[in-house]
Amino acid sequence: MVEQIRLVYQTFMNILYVLLDPLLAGLVLYCILSINRLKKELATLKHKINQLDNN
């Protein structure tokens, strides 16, 4: 009985890992891309501010 429960639990956890793995990878990738985009926006803003200061 305990062995069956353990087997069902392991199977469930394996399925969960298979489903969550791509989601987590996608989330991490999305965060990295968002941070890079924000960095670019900050750089352009700094550039514009410098241009305004120079005028």
Side-chain angles (χ1 to χ4, degrees):
M1 186 64 194
V2 174
E3 199 62 40
Q4 278 182 324
I5 291 170
R6 189 175 289 141
L7 193 67
V8 168
Y9 175 74
Q10 281 181 337
T11 307
F12 178 72
M13 289 308 284
N14 285 343
I15 292 169
L16 209 63
Y17 280 131
V18 167
L19 289 176
L20 283 179
D21 232 21
L23 280 176
L24 286 173
L27 196 65
V28 168
L29 195 65
Y30 176 76
C31 287
I32 290 170
L33 290 174
S34 294
I35 289 168
N36 282 342
R37 195 175 66 234
L38 285 172
K39 281 182 184 174
K40 285 179 187 170
E41 286 178 15
L42 269 176
T44 53
L45 281 174
K46 284 180 183 174
H47 183 68
K48 286 179 182 175
I49 289 169
N50 283 339
Q51 281 183 331
L52 286 172
D53 284 345
N54 290 341
N55 287 342

